[in-house]
Amino acid sequence: MTEAATRRPPGTPCWVSLIVHGLSATQEFYSRLFGWEFRPGPDQLGPYVRALLSGREVAGIGQLPAGRHLPIAWTTYLASDDADATAEAIRSCGGTVAVGPLTAGDAGRLLIASDPSGAVFGVWQAAEHLGTAVAGTPGSPVWNELVTRETASVAKFYQMVFGFGTEAVVSADFDYQTLHIEGRPVAALHGVGHALPRDRGPHWMTYFQVADTDAAAARVVELGGHVLHPPREGSTGRLATVSDPEGAVFTIVRPSDG
C-alpha cells in the first residue's frame, strides 16, 4: 500500500529526520540500504536534504553546524495545527522546548522539544510540506515508539499535549501503551525499566519497513553500521535494532502481513 501525503490529525507522527556530522556519507548509507534518493532543501534548515522513494518524500537528513556535538538520533515529528500553542502546552505540562517554534520557508513551522523524561521529539505544523508521502513499502517509516522507563507518568504528558487516547497492554511484566488518534493506533509507549540503555535514556524509536529483515541487517553491517539486537520475531513482524555509522539507532521490520 502506498498513499499520498495528507494533513495528519494533531498528534499523529508525520515525519522523521536525522541531523548528522557527515551529510554525504549518511546519504550514501541510507541510499544503499533503503534505495533512497535525495533532494536538497529547505535552505532555512542549513545543509539539509529530503529523502525520496519513487520521487516521494520519506524522511529528512541535515548536517550539524561545525563544532556542535549533539546526540545523533532519528527524531519523530508529531503533527500540530498550531506549533506555538503546542509549545505552550509542552511547557505547561512539564516538557521543554529546545528549538523554535520556527518557520521553515513555505514548508511549515516546527519545534524540537523533550518530554518530562527527557525523550526528544519534534512538532510539525504543515504548510506546503505535509510530511512523509509513502507508507507500506520498504524504505518507508512504518511505526514510531517511545522507549522509556515506565509509561504511566509520561503517558499523561502526551495525553495532555496532543489529546491522545491510550490503551494499555495488560500484563504483569510488559509495560506498553498504544496512543490513539480518532480511534486509530498511531504510536506507542514502551516501558522497559532497567533495560533502558544507560547511554541513551528515554528516546523515540523509528521503525522502517524492509522486505527481508535478516538481509537488511547484514547490509547495515556491510555499510559500516551495527546490529544492536539481531533479527527476531515480534508481535508485528520480524525486526532488528540497528545503528548507522554515526550511531543513529533505528529498527527495521518486515511486517507480519508484509
Side-chain angles (χ1 to χ4, degrees), residues 206-254:
T206 300
Y207 287 63
F208 291 99
Q209 184 167 331
V210 294
D212 182 326
T213 304
D214 296 72
R219 187 76 171 136
V220 165
V221 175
E222 287 174 15
L223 296 172
H226 300 277
V227 174
L228 306 180
H229 295 290
R232 59 203 185 276
E233 294 297 330
S235 58
T236 57
R238 188 162 179 80
L239 61 143
T241 306
V242 300
S243 65
D244 69 17
E246 286 205 22
V249 177
F250 56 100
T251 296
I252 51 176
V253 58
R254 182 187 186 276

Side-chain angles (χ1 to χ4, degrees), residues 1-3 56 134-138 140 209:
M1 180 194 73
T2 59
E3 61 184 33
R56 294 190 296 171
V134 182
T137 191
S140 65
Q209 184 167 331

Side-chain angles (χ1 to χ4, degrees), residues 145-221:
E145 188 170 287
L146 174 67
V147 182
T148 189
R149 288 185 178 82
E150 53 85 23
T151 66
S153 57
V154 78
K156 293 183 177 66
F157 169 82
Y158 288 98
Q159 287 171 317
M160 294 287 288
V161 174
F162 294 103
F164 289 119
T166 62
E167 183 177 315
V169 174
V170 180
S171 169
D173 57 356
F174 196 59
D175 179 10
Y176 194 90
Q177 297 191 50
T178 52
L179 301 177
H180 294 248
I181 295 290
E182 299 177 354
R184 184 172 68 93
V186 296
L189 310 176
H190 188 186
V192 297
H194 295 301
L196 191 71
R198 289 185 180 177
D199 58 338
R200 298 196 65 207
H203 58 277
W204 277 89
M205 175 75 77
T206 300
Y207 287 63
F208 291 99
Q209 184 167 331
V210 294
D212 182 326
T213 304
D214 296 72
R219 187 76 171 136
V220 165
V221 175

Side-chain angles (χ1 to χ4, degrees), residues 1-162:
M1 180 194 73
T2 59
E3 61 184 33
T6 55
R7 187 171 295 278
R8 274 80 168 187
T12 309
C14 61
W15 188 244
V16 292
S17 75
L18 176 64
I19 309 297
V20 296
H21 296 289
L23 184 56
S24 59
T26 299
Q27 286 178 248
E28 176 76 6
F29 173 86
Y30 286 101
S31 173
R32 295 174 67 183
L33 180 63
F34 291 142
W36 289 354
E37 298 173 327
F38 297 93
R39 176 187 299 155
D43 296 338
Q44 291 82 0
L45 301 178
Y48 187 88
V49 295
R50 288 184 184 160
L52 310 175
L53 274 176
S54 303
R56 294 190 296 171
E57 297 168 335
V58 290
I61 303 176
Q63 184 163 303
L64 274 173
R68 292 292 297 277
H69 294 284
L70 299 172
I72 306 299
W74 279 100
T75 299
T76 297
Y77 285 76
L78 305 176
S80 170
D81 286 340
D82 185 335
D84 295 81
T86 301
E88 286 303 312
I90 288 167
R91 293 188 188 100
S92 67
C93 293
T96 303
V97 176
V99 177
L102 58 87
T103 299
D106 297 327
R109 197 157 165 77
L110 68 89
L111 63 90
I112 305 291
S114 57
D115 68 23
S117 74
V120 173
F121 63 96
V123 172
W124 181 253
Q125 178 187 335
E128 289 186 1
H129 175 60
L130 299 177
T132 302
V134 182
T137 191
S140 65
V142 69
W143 188 243
N144 295 271
E145 188 170 287
L146 174 67
V147 182
T148 189
R149 288 185 178 82
E150 53 85 23
T151 66
S153 57
V154 78
K156 293 183 177 66
F157 169 82
Y158 288 98
Q159 287 171 317
M160 294 287 288
V161 174
F162 294 103

